Every structure is written in C-alpha cells, then in structure tokens.
Amino acid sequence: MRTKYILLVVLQALFLVGMIGMKQAWIARGEKIKLKTVPVDPRDIFRGDYARLNYDISSLDLDSLGCKETFQRNDKVYVAISKGDKDYYEAVSVSSKRPAEGLYVAGKTKYGQRTNSKWEVSVKTEDGTMKTFHPQWFYGMKKDDTVVFCIDRQGNVQNSMKENAEHSQKCYGEEVVTVKGVIEEVVETKYQTMDVQYGIESYFVEEGKGRIIESAPRSSEVLVEISLNKKGKGLITGLYIDGKRY
Amino acid sequence: MADIDFVRKLKGELKAWISEGIIAPEQEERILSRYRVLEEAEEKAGSSTLITVISVMGSILIGVGVILFIAANWSMIPRAGKLAIIFLSLFATYAAGWYLRYEKKTFPKVGASLILLGTIIYGAGIFLIAQIYNISVHYPNGPLMWGLGVLPLAYLLKFRSILLLSLLDLLLWMGMETSFRLEGHDSFFSFVALYLASGLMFWAVGLTHRKFEPVKGLAGPYVVLGVLSVFVAGYAFTFEVDRWRLGSPGLAVFYAVIAAAFAVSMMAFLLPKNREKGWVAEAAGLSGLMALVCFWIIPGLLVPQGMPDHYSHEESHSIIANLVYAAMIVGIIVLGYIKRYNAYINIGILFFVLDVIARYFDFFWELLPRSIFFIAGGIMLLAGGIFLEKKRRKVLASFRLEELA
C-alpha cells in the first residue's frame, strides 16, 4: 500500500508539473499579439483579485465585418485579426470555419447574435458650428432639444444628457470635455452584433501593483498581451496601460 | 481495537445480559474493568470524535491559510517561490500524514487529517497555477481535476473524508460546466433535473458499493450526497415544473454518462449476493424516479425548437411532481425503518417539514391575514415538531429494542 500511496502522491505532483509545463510551452511557442480592452468597470476593477476584461473583439459588429452567417449561442467561432498600422490587433472577419491562413482567435458566442443600434447625432454647438457625434446609446431626445455631450480624450462620447431649464448639466472626470448644442438630426442605424468569449477575460492582479493601475485615468488605453497558439487559443502574458507594462 | 463507542454499547448489552440471566452482576463489573482505562482517558482528555473533529478543522484552516498566504503575497513571492511552497507543503503533509498514521501509528487521527490536508493543498495548487497563468476564474476544469485527482487516494486509503471532498468537487464541476452550456432563465429547470438525475446515480453507486466488501466502507458519501441531491431537487420541483425546459440538448453528454453509470450500478445492485433488506423497494423506487426524469428530459432534448417561448406552466406536471415527492418522503422513511438507517428517517422527516412549510405558504398566504398566518404557522410547526420528535424517538428506540431482542 505504501508504494501505491507514494505513486498516487507523485502522480498528483506530476499532474501539477504537467499543468505548468503545458502553459510554459504555450507561452514559449505562441504568437505574441496585443488586443485592445477595457476593464468592465474601470473605476473599481483593480481593487479585487482579478479584473474582468472586455476586449474590442468581445463584441463584434457583424454587418461591418461583412458576415452573412447566423449564429446561435455557444457556437464556436473564429475571428480573424490583423494589425494594420496600430499597435494592437483588430477583428477583420468572423466565421464558424477555421481560416486557412493568417492569425485568428477562437471563441464561443455568448448569446447568439442580436440587433443593436448605432447613432449619429448632428448638433449645432453654442458657437454656431456643426458637429457630429456617435454616442453608444441615445434615447429620449429629438430634434431641437438641447443636449450635453461628455467627450473623453480619445474623442468618444462618454455620456449624453438632456439639458433642462432648472439646472445645467455638467460632465465630471479628468480630461473630459463638455460640448453643448442643439440637435439638428438624429440617425439611428440598426446592425447585427454578437458577443464572443475567448477564455482570456480574467486578469489576476498582483496586490499592491493594483493600486497604481487603479489610479490610471478612465480614458487610458489598455492593451493586453496574449500568447496565441495554433488553435487560436490565447493566454494572457502581460498588461499595458498607455504603453507602460504592468 | 476497542473504542469508547464499543464500551458504551457494551454497557447497554451487559444490562440486557444480566436481566436475561446470561451473566451475573459481578461478571459485569469484571468485564467493564477491562475497559476502565479507556473510559478515564475519554473523560480526562476528551473524546476521540472530538480529536477527529479538531484535527480535521486544523487541516482545513492550514489549507485555507496556505492559499491566503500565497494570494496575499502575490508580488513579493516570485513565481518559482509560489510553486515551491505548493510542492513542498504537498509532499510534507502527505509524508507526515503517512508517518503518523501508518508507520509510527502514534497519532492515527491526526495523520488522517494531514492526508486530507494534502488533498486540499493539491486542489489549492491547481487553482494557484490557473491564477498564475490568468486562466479564467470561472474555471470548471479546476474542480474536475481536483476531484478526479484525489479519488484514487480515497479508495486506496478507504477515507470517507477524501471521497466526500472528491464527490463535492465533481458536483461543483458539473454545476460550473453546465452553467457554461446553459444560459438565461431557461437553465433553472434543466439544472435541477440534472442534479436530480446525478443524485439518483450517486445513490445507486453507493448502494452497489455496499454489496462489495472491499469498498463497503465508502458507500456513505455516495448515498448521503445522492439522497440529499435527489430530495433538494425534488423539493424544487414541488414549486413548479416546466416540462419543456427540463431537458437541454447541450447537456446530452451528461445525460448519457449519468444514465450509463446508473444502469451499470443498478445491474450490480441487483446481483444476488449480499442483498440487504428492502432491496426490491429501493431498486424499484430509484428506477421509477429515473424513468420519470427521463420522461421529463426527453421532450426538451428532442425538440428544442418546439418549446414555447414563455414558461409553460402545466398544472398536471406540478401535481405529478408533488405526488411523487410525497411518495419519496413516505418511501424513504419506510426504507429507513426496514433497513434500520437513521439517516434515511432523519432526511425524510427534514424534507417532510420543508414540504409542509412550502405548501402552507402556497395555500394560505393569500387567504389569511398576515398575523394569523404567522401565528398559526408557528403553532403548527411547534406541534408538528413535538409530534415528529416523539415519533422519531419511538422508531429509533424500537430499533434498539429489536436489536436486543
């Protein structure tokens, strides 16, 4: 029985060693790429033991990717990615079949595809110039309403609020610009979107280091370095905030 | 080896022997004097059960401590250091446990707890490695590998504690894995049905263990977890059954494995050797329940597109579920009586009380003013408690009397 006991204990240890070996081989052999991401709740996320990451490629715009397939939930998908002139990779196509060449990430659909809306809002600002914005959602406002947009450093609309007579709206946060104007036109475009999970959505934060990352402004560019194997499965190897590695 | 439980039982037996004239009163004194030392040790140093409980708690605390230490000193300890801690503590606890229990034999209970601690550290190792490599926190393979990794040790050493840990890991894995495959509100009924089926499977596997001498001692965790799963799931179904959402095509693999394991265990259980009292009733009950689960699962499994978009609450199936649940309670109490298993009787009574509470809420919540509802409910439960406690004592006492007779 003693021999068997030792054997079982050694097997357990070997199993753990195997786990480590497989991951190390993956990191050594995989293709290193960077993906753009946002922590799901940027203000709070690094306080805990891990950050939940929401990548640019986590929700795909099927229409602009020219995808004609229909997807159910939990379908396997392959997202082809390319770098272009940026530092990080972006989705170029999505398919249920494995691409013959090029880099791709393998994932699973979360709910299947859904219809979403995109907005294009034209406003006449206080100084009389016309400006167009693309807020992520835009409800309850129509032509001739006065609207306040909060614009972050990268030019994205963080928030849009209806101005009312009682008190004027204000934007909060560092490096956030307030733009006020009268709505000239609202164009809502419907498109097909799909959420995909890749198994790289958690980043474990080292205690202490988390504090530095936590204080990074909301508008920072967060990139995650992934080691991508031949099957399109990723393993997180690093995190960059505004170009600085953590 | 004589232990204190044996002495306690012996005392009872001796009284019966004297009253039946088998031995003389002075012989009782002489017999008991052989075990006096044991009794004194028990009085002065605490009972052996207490030692087991304390050392098991100690093991769990140390296991949690190791995990927290490494988690909290994340950046201070280099990757190799974290892994070294895991491997060193894994080997050290397993070696010390073996030494104390089997080599030196000085502290067998503490030794057993240390081996249990080793299996916990093994699990901690899996999760820490997953954490080092940023593998998702929702990590179903973790509990699976933990459960399967310690299962052989449970059988080699005949440790019920390790078996229980392993089975809990596997049940946890099943829940995590299926929640990946199911999403939204549809999942609840499939989830409960799956746990009902796996509970029946565990129960059957446990019964089969009891028939074979080498693994007889390991039946307990299977049967207890199985019975509890079956009754918790059955209880959930007494509230509502949505026939179209009980089965899910995404879980087909689970159904196949559970059905196969159940069928094999059932066949082994029906073998003519070592049959226990009430085996026909227990086999029939388990198979009947399994047939009902299959009958419920199949529509959702075969025609997923055919299901209505909204909850389809079919009164007839809720009535069936409630009748079956009532039959299950009566059945397990009767089985407990036939097989002399206190655990069956206690579980039956517990779920009977839960059922009464639930139905009381269902029927009277709307009808009675709140204050009367609560007061009447309270009185009913207190009276019911006294009645059931009396009944239970009577039944358990009758077991002992029958044993003496």
Side-chain angles (χ1 to χ4, degrees):
Chain A
M1 188 158 107
R2 190 179 163 184
T3 329
K4 283 183 191 159
Y5 179 76
I6 294 173
L7 186 74
L8 286 180
V9 171
V10 168
L11 277 178
Q12 284 187 358
L14 279 180
F15 178 81
L16 295 180
V17 171
M19 244 179 109
I20 299 165
M22 267 166 59
K23 300 297 167 199
Q24 284 296 356
W26 183 336
I27 291 173
R29 283 210 305 251
E31 181 92 26
K32 287 254 163 48
I33 61 156
K34 280 179 195 160
L35 293 172
K36 193 163 184 269
T37 188
V38 250
V40 172
D41 184 1
R43 260 173 287 193
D44 213 305
I45 210 74
F46 288 102
R47 216 163 283 159
D49 281 332
Y50 75 99
R52 201 96 195 116
L53 302 171
N54 189 19
Y55 294 89
D56 272 8
I57 62 166
S58 293
S59 59
L60 300 169
D61 177 346
L62 295 180
D63 292 338
S64 68
L65 289 174
C67 178
K68 296 276 175 286
E69 290 180 72
T70 48
F71 296 98
Q72 307 291 321
R73 71 173 181 212
N74 286 332
D75 279 351
K76 210 167 184 183
V77 292
Y78 297 92
V79 179
I81 50 172
S82 89
K83 199 172 176 184
D85 53 355
K86 295 194 183 99
D87 192 23
Y88 54 89
Y89 282 75
E90 286 176 309
V92 286
S93 74
V94 55
S95 167
S96 57
K97 290 181 189 64
R98 190 188 293 239
E101 52 185 26
L103 280 179
Y104 56 87
V105 199
K108 264 191 166 180
T109 60
K110 225 167 150 184
Y111 310 107
Q113 59 201 61
R114 291 172 289 144
T115 308
N116 238 343
S117 285
K118 244 192 292 208
W119 283 272
E120 196 175 273
V121 185
S122 309
V123 295
K124 192 182 242 174
T125 55
E126 284 168 314
D127 56 9
T129 53
M130 288 294 294
K131 274 189 178 161
T132 307
F133 295 96
H134 298 95
Q136 286 193 314
W137 63 91
F138 198 77
Y139 294 109
M141 282 174 271
K142 54 184 191 310
K143 193 174 168 355
D144 296 331
D145 283 345
T146 303
V147 63
V148 173
F149 286 118
C150 303
I151 313 294
D152 70 14
R153 197 173 56 166
Q154 278 137 351
N156 298 321
V157 177
Q158 274 195 353
N159 200 0
S160 45
M161 301 171 284
K162 191 173 172 177
E163 176 87 350
N164 52 30
E166 282 99 63
H167 67 284
S168 70
Q169 303 280 13
K170 230 177 120 184
C171 298
Y172 297 92
E174 277 175 60
E175 301 179 55
V176 175
V177 182
T178 308
V179 178
K180 197 159 136 185
V182 179
I183 301 174
E184 291 282 316
E185 194 187 14
V186 179
V187 182
E188 184 185 349
T189 323
K190 303 247 185 215
Y191 68 102
Q192 291 291 306
T193 175
M194 182 169 73
D195 290 344
V196 182
Q197 283 189 311
Y198 302 95
I200 44 172
E201 283 80 10
S202 308
Y203 181 73
F204 289 88
V205 182
E206 304 178 16
E207 244 185 41
K209 270 194 185 177
R211 295 283 140 81
I212 311 160
I213 305 168
E214 192 190 324
S215 54
R218 202 175 161 180
S219 53
S220 312
E221 184 188 65
V222 182
L223 298 181
V224 173
E225 188 188 59
I226 308 281
S227 181
L228 200 64
N229 71 6
K230 291 212 165 54
K231 287 179 189 156
K233 291 270 173 203
L235 202 62
I236 298 178
T237 49
L239 181 94
Y240 294 82
I241 295 176
D242 285 334
K244 194 169 173 250
R245 195 191 168 106
Y246 284 90
Chain B
M1 193 171 63
D3 60 25
I4 199 71
D5 286 334
F6 169 74
V7 179
R8 247 177 239 138
K9 273 186 196 145
L10 184 67
K11 272 186 175 171
E13 292 289 285
L14 288 171
K15 292 234 161 58
W17 294 346
I18 293 168
S19 66
E20 285 164 29
I22 297 172
I23 57 166
E26 60 274 13
Q27 280 172 303
E28 181 201 14
E29 198 47 43
R30 279 181 61 199
I31 294 171
L32 279 180
S33 68
R34 293 195 58 192
Y35 303 101
R36 192 96 324 140
V37 185
L38 204 64
E39 255 189 305
E40 275 170 17
E42 189 88 357
E43 264 168 34
K44 280 180 189 153
S47 75
S48 62
T49 334
L50 186 69
I51 297 168
T52 309
V53 170
I54 286 179
S55 44
V56 165
M57 276 168 57
S59 296
I60 292 171
L61 284 183
I62 294 173
V64 171
V66 171
I67 298 170
L68 286 181
F69 175 76
I70 296 179
N73 294 279
W74 195 240
S75 52
M76 255 113 78
I77 312 169
R79 188 174 284 187
K82 277 177 241 172
L83 296 175
I85 293 173
I86 282 292
F87 281 106
L88 287 179
S89 53
L90 184 77
F91 288 126
T93 42
Y94 273 140
W98 178 269
Y99 180 74
L100 291 180
R101 187 174 172 86
Y102 298 102
E103 300 272 320
K104 200 98 187 284
K105 293 178 182 165
T106 39
F107 299 96
K109 282 173 204 295
V110 177
S113 303
L114 282 174
I115 295 174
L116 175 68
L117 174 62
T119 61
I120 297 174
I121 292 177
Y122 167 70
I126 293 177
F127 283 100
L128 281 164
I129 292 169
Q131 197 163 328
I132 287 172
Y133 292 100
N134 289 304
I135 298 168
S136 251
V137 253
H138 298 288
Y139 180 50
N141 288 348
L144 176 66
M145 292 183 299
W146 188 1
L148 291 181
V150 301
L151 194 60
L153 266 186
Y155 277 87
L156 178 71
L157 305 175
K158 307 276 181 305
F159 273 21
R160 273 190 290 254
S161 56
I162 298 180
L163 181 63
L164 189 66
L165 173 73
S166 170
L167 296 181
L168 284 173
D169 280 335
L170 293 177
L171 280 178
L172 178 67
W173 162 72
M174 192 179 77
M176 287 167 81
E177 183 63 42
T178 50
S179 66
F180 266 90
R181 291 161 189 247
L182 297 168
E183 272 183 61
H185 65 281
D186 289 5
S187 57
F188 175 74
F189 291 99
S190 320
F191 218 73
V192 177
L194 187 68
Y195 272 95
L196 180 53
S198 56
L200 288 169
M201 186 263 280
F202 270 0
W203 191 339
V205 171
L207 290 181
T208 306
H209 274 64
R210 229 181 245 142
K211 285 177 85 89
F212 299 97
E213 204 49 52
V215 290
K216 205 174 174 187
L218 291 175
Y222 283 106
V223 174
V224 169
L225 278 181
V227 172
L228 283 176
S229 295
V230 167
F231 273 84
V232 170
Y235 183 59
F237 279 143
T238 62
F239 292 89
E240 199 185 358
V241 179
D242 184 342
R243 195 159 115 77
W244 290 100
R245 287 182 165 78
L246 286 165
S248 168
L251 304 182
V253 186
F254 289 88
Y255 298 143
V257 172
I258 289 172
F262 181 81
V264 170
S265 308
M266 238 22 209
M267 277 188 276
F269 179 63
L270 295 177
L271 289 176
K273 78 174 209 180
N274 292 339
R275 275 177 177 156
E276 294 174 329
K277 271 185 185 170
W279 67 276
V280 181
E282 199 157 13
L286 284 177
S287 306
L289 279 176
M290 202 52 155
L292 178 69
V293 175
C294 291
F295 169 67
W296 270 346
I297 283 175
I298 286 166
L301 192 62
L302 294 183
V303 275
Q305 271 77 35
M307 66 163 89
D309 282 338
H310 49 85
Y311 276 121
S312 55
H313 180 71
E314 287 176 57
E315 203 62 44
S316 58
H317 286 278
S318 285
I319 293 170
I320 295 175
N322 273 284
L323 290 177
V324 170
Y325 184 71
M328 276 160 62
I329 289 173
V330 175
I332 197 151
I333 293 177
V334 170
L335 260 181
Y337 189 77
I338 296 173
K339 300 180 76 163
R340 314 225 174 327
Y341 284 167
N342 299 350
Y344 278 14
I345 294 174
N346 290 337
I347 289 174
I349 288 173
L350 170 71
F351 283 91
F352 172 68
V353 171
L354 288 176
D355 196 30
V356 169
I357 295 172
R359 299 295 83 78
Y360 177 72
F361 265 84
D362 282 357
F363 291 126
F364 297 112
W365 181 253
E366 300 292 327
L367 299 176
L368 296 175
R370 295 286 176 270
S371 54
I372 298 178
F373 172 85
F374 280 110
I375 293 169
I379 291 172
M380 213 173 83
L381 282 181
L382 285 178
I386 292 169
F387 172 75
L388 285 175
E389 183 63 38
K390 267 187 171 169
K391 200 85 200 139
R392 193 174 146 270
R393 258 187 233 151
K394 229 189 216 168
V395 171
L396 296 183
S398 76
F399 286 1
R400 275 177 222 126
L401 277 181
E402 273 183 52
E403 269 166 24
L404 292 180

